[in-house]
Amino acid sequence: MPDASLHPSLMARDDDAQRLRALDVTRSFLVQAPAGSGKTELLIQRFLALLATVERPESILAMTFTRKAAGEMRERIINALRDAAAGVPVSDAHAQRTRALAQAALTRDGALGWHLVDHPARLRLMTIDALATGLAREAPLTTRTGAMPAFSEHPEALYHAAASEALTHAAAGDTAWRTLLDHLDNDGQRVVDLLAELLRKRDQWLRHLVGIDPDGLRAALEATLVEEIEARLAAAHALFPANALPRLAALARHALAHLTGEPASAQLVRALHACHEAGGIPGTTCDEMADWASLANWLLVKTPAWRKTVNQTQGFAPTGAAGKKAAERKARKREMLALLAELAQVPGLAEAMDAVRHLPPRRYAEATWEMIAALLTVLPRVAAALKVQFAAQRTIDFSEATELALLALGTPDAPSDVLLALDQRIGHLLIDEFQDTSLMQRDLVLRLTAGWVAGDGRTLFAVGDPMQSIYRFREAEVSLFLAAQSECRIGDVAVEPLTLSRNFRSQAGIVDWVNAVLPKVLPDADNPVRGAVAFKPSVASHPRRDGASPTVDLASTDHDEATRVVCRVRDALASQPRENVAILVRARTHLASILPALRAAG
């Protein structure tokens, strides 16, 4: 993996080697391709390389997330073949590599009579949803759908209808529904709205409700709570400087003897005792969670910032008249303020301490668990009502299409005729934007590649970038990418992780700024369990442009923002008068103050 400390020339050489390795069509790869790294070009090169080896172009299946991406890939592959046939000149190294791969593919095309340029439909590039719909259509008896229903990209009305129908037909004495309604002040519409939102995410929970043991689930969830709590405590513990611990213990002992003012809470007294006895800070078990919370309140103000002053409430009483005791109190107060100043210099410690005082209880309250138990009963019924809505409206959503496809394929132990037929037809699978794969889509990929073994000639090639995961609204799980990367495996298929590092899109001023800033806001290491993604640096292919690098302005009002935009536009036009200036906003309403300010400024 590229390291931010490596010289850019070394990163560039490593990047070239990784790109070349990705074209080994005898091996399977998982490629992390950051923004601007030429991911689509690499996918096209891999596709062309495969075309030069296969007997039928249909044996290569490339899956994308959008129809636009599939269409762009198809067009660029055909253009590469057409330009190679016409001998259109190419210049840069990447274009020359694409040209060589296209020429080899054309040779294979001519030998086997494919005529791909004239018949581009033989290239199998499609969205995952289109593949799922096609698979379900191949086995109408297995999926019990008959004629394939229409596909809806906006099925929210169906979710609401299913939740409302399930509530309407609930028995008067149904305790599960009564619990939900009581919890939401008997607001039926709110119950329906919340259940509809859960139906949108049903591929995340429905699989876990089959044959569920509520008591076992509660034990497992509470064990997870304990694990998460102790991980947060351990993280805070690890950030404390070792040389600060003896001083903290001594100051805690002093504070215990001088707590005055408001009656000191028993918990603060206990926490200070724990610090004193532990020689600094408490241990990291759940039993010490309350001590950590009190310690955090002792050291921090309400916002996650260290105290700038301390008083009798923290155990540092006014010094009073001159004398030995007053001098000692002054000295301890100075030591405390010095320690707080030192701790303020430790990156992330204030945030970690703030997190421990907001940790949840280690066990569910009975009222809370009654609510969860009610949901465990109601949710399968609402999911069944949604299937009725799908059948009545002859319409399905993303999740239902994928579920039908999985049903059509059978299981690895009991494969359907559809899966057995596909096993003969698919020799190479390419997946774009793998970081945005959902759990059900992952299952689809696993089903398609079940039984593949190393050396059988079939390959899996997945490309994506966990730093760009954007499809949480489609139930994407970036943790799937991270887990596959760390385990070097996607289902039954062993994959070799590769990471690209060259950025062909932005000039060095932008790339260097991103490399400097983003490591401060992203975690230090990947964590598949949490879906936490560490930053991977890039090296720019385009040289730095004078005076061109990102800047950040903070505006407190819309008027202030508009004024700053006008200043930026003036500066840009003054430095590059012949270039265009673009202003990007998230929504049209955000232009309400900016447009009048631009007009006023001419």
Side-chain angles (χ1 to χ4, degrees):
M1 295 251 175
D3 189 311
S5 64
L6 291 177
H7 191 275
S9 61
L10 296 177
M11 290 179 67
R13 282 203 295 272
D14 180 70
D15 179 89
D16 289 338
Q18 303 253 326
R19 291 175 194 274
L20 189 59
R21 186 157 184 76
L23 300 180
D24 181 349
V25 295
T26 66
R27 299 175 62 84
S28 296
F29 297 97
L30 173 61
V31 183
Q32 180 166 346
S37 61
K39 165 182 64 71
T40 303
E41 183 71 15
L42 184 64
L43 278 166
I44 289 167
Q45 290 178 345
R46 174 82 179 190
F47 203 107
L48 291 169
L50 288 168
L51 282 174
T53 67
V54 297
E55 296 297 322
R56 299 166 51 255
E58 292 86 354
S59 67
I60 309 169
L61 172 60
M63 298 194 302
T64 66
F65 262 80
T66 65
R67 289 188 291 269
K68 180 180 178 182
E72 180 189 355
M73 280 186 63
R74 185 189 307 277
E75 182 179 1
R76 289 177 62 173
I77 290 170
I78 294 300
N79 285 342
L81 294 172
R82 185 180 290 119
D83 290 349
V88 175
V90 293
S91 53
D92 66 85
H94 288 288
Q96 290 170 1
R97 181 176 293 168
T98 301
R99 169 58 53 83
L101 294 168
Q103 289 171 335
L106 278 177
T107 301
R108 188 72 166 175
D109 178 296
L112 298 180
W114 296 339
H115 306 294
L116 289 178
V117 172
D118 297 323
H119 302 287
R122 296 196 67 180
L123 300 178
R124 298 185 68 196
L125 298 106
M126 63 184 69
T127 66
I128 297 178
D129 296 319
L131 174 66
T133 304
L135 291 173
R137 189 175 285 118
E138 289 192 37
L141 293 179
T142 303
T143 58
R144 301 181 182 88
T145 58
M148 193 63 195
F151 184 77
S152 173
E153 295 189 17
H154 303 287
E156 292 78 10
L158 292 171
Y159 301 154
H160 277 85
S164 180
E165 190 74 8
L167 175 57
T168 300
H169 288 88
D174 192 311
T175 56
W177 279 104
R178 175 49 54 199
T179 298
L180 295 183
L181 288 165
D182 288 346
H183 183 75
L184 295 172
D185 299 325
N186 212 38
D187 187 341
Q189 186 56 53
R190 191 172 174 209
V191 170
V192 167
D193 291 343
L194 292 173
L195 290 173
E197 178 64 18
L198 284 171
L199 282 175
R200 187 173 67 85
K201 303 176 181 179
R202 68 192 183 282
D203 70 332
Q204 295 182 343
W205 50 261
L206 189 56
R207 66 181 68 205
H208 301 296
L209 300 190
V210 178
I212 194 169
D213 169 23
D215 292 337
L217 176 64
R218 181 173 187 174
L221 291 175
E222 290 181 343
T224 301
L225 278 173
V226 169
E227 184 179 327
E228 288 293 307
I229 289 167
E230 293 185 346
R232 290 296 182 96
L233 297 181
H237 193 287
L239 287 171
F240 260 95
N243 62 2
L245 300 183
R247 288 179 288 157
L248 184 62
L251 289 165
R253 184 176 67 247
H254 171 84
L256 275 170
H258 296 85
L259 284 169
T260 58
E262 296 180 11
S265 72
Q267 184 53 57
L268 176 57
V269 171
R270 174 183 156 174
L272 294 176
H273 269 299
C275 291
H276 169 52
E277 292 171 4
I281 50 179
T284 58
T285 68
C286 267
D287 292 336
E288 288 137 321
M289 178 169 55
D291 293 338
W292 274 96
S294 292
L295 176 62
N297 287 329
W298 187 56
L299 297 172
L300 302 175
V301 293
K302 287 186 178 180
T303 55
W306 301 97
R307 293 186 182 277
K308 297 288 178 59
T309 184
V310 289
N311 55 35
Q312 63 267 26
T313 305
Q314 288 81 47
F316 296 88
T319 54
K324 186 176 180 180
K325 288 186 178 181
E328 181 187 354
R329 287 198 292 269
K330 279 185 179 180
R332 297 293 85 78
K333 190 169 185 176
R334 283 196 302 269
E335 290 172 14
M336 183 65 176
L337 295 176
L339 178 61
L340 288 167
E342 285 182 36
L343 296 178
Q345 301 305 310
V346 180
L349 181 54
E351 291 77 10
M353 291 298 291
D354 184 57
V356 302
R357 59 183 176 180
H358 295 101
L359 290 172
R362 62 190 296 181
R363 294 187 179 89
Y364 290 102
E366 288 306 316
T368 302
W369 186 255
E370 285 179 9
M371 175 70 176
I372 295 173
L375 283 170
L376 296 179
T377 300
V378 166
L379 285 175
R381 301 177 191 172
V382 179
L386 180 61
K387 286 189 176 292
V388 173
Q389 288 293 323
F390 285 152
Q393 302 297 326
R394 304 297 304 155
T395 302
I396 58 174
D397 66 355
F398 292 114
S399 294
E400 189 72 4
T402 308
E403 184 180 342
L404 291 174
L406 292 171
L407 188 61
L409 293 174
T411 66
D413 294 332
S416 69
D417 291 340
V418 173
L419 181 55
L420 292 173
L422 279 174
D423 203 42
Q424 300 298 318
R425 299 193 327 237
I426 299 178
H428 303 278
L429 182 61
L430 290 78
I431 308 171
D432 190 15
E433 306 291 6
F434 188 67
Q435 80 281 354
D436 287 323
T437 305
S438 71
L439 289 169
M440 288 184 71
Q441 290 166 340
R442 186 275 313 268
D443 289 347
L444 182 60
V445 172
L446 299 191
R447 205 70 56 88
L448 291 172
T449 58
W452 289 20
V453 294
D456 67 1
R458 294 178 288 191
T459 65
L460 175 61
F461 188 79
V463 180
D465 180 18
M467 291 189 291
Q468 296 185 71
S469 183
I470 62 172
Y471 280 97
R472 288 306 294 269
F473 68 91
R474 284 283 310 273
E475 285 47 86
E477 285 289 342
V478 70
S479 61
L480 298 178
F481 188 105
L482 301 177
Q485 202 173 44
S486 64
E487 297 166 7
C488 299
R489 180 167 295 277
I490 300 175
D492 290 338
V493 183
V495 294
E496 178 181 340
L498 303 175
T499 299
L500 307 183
S501 57
R502 293 188 70 178
N503 184 303
F504 299 99
R505 182 180 301 158
S506 304
Q507 52 95 1
I510 294 174
V511 174
D512 292 346
W513 185 88
V514 169
N515 286 341
V517 172
L518 287 194
K520 300 173 184 175
V521 297
L522 291 174
D524 295 330
D526 293 333
N527 187 324
V529 175
R530 296 177 181 273
V533 182
F535 179 74
K536 303 292 190 301
S538 297
V539 57
S541 294
H542 301 295
R544 178 186 296 273
R545 291 173 54 186
D546 292 340
S549 62
T551 58
V552 177
D553 293 320
L554 301 180
S556 57
T557 66
D558 290 345
H559 178 267
D560 189 20
E561 179 187 46
T563 301
R564 292 169 188 269
V565 168
V566 168
C567 290
R568 289 292 179 192
V569 171
R570 279 181 172 150
D571 291 345
L573 292 175
S575 61
Q576 301 288 342
R578 291 184 218 168
E579 294 199 5
N580 292 325
V581 176
I583 300 172
L584 305 182
V585 294
R586 292 182 63 87
R588 290 179 182 271
T589 55
H590 298 167
L591 291 168
S593 297
I594 294 173
L595 286 176
L598 290 171
R599 293 191 193 101

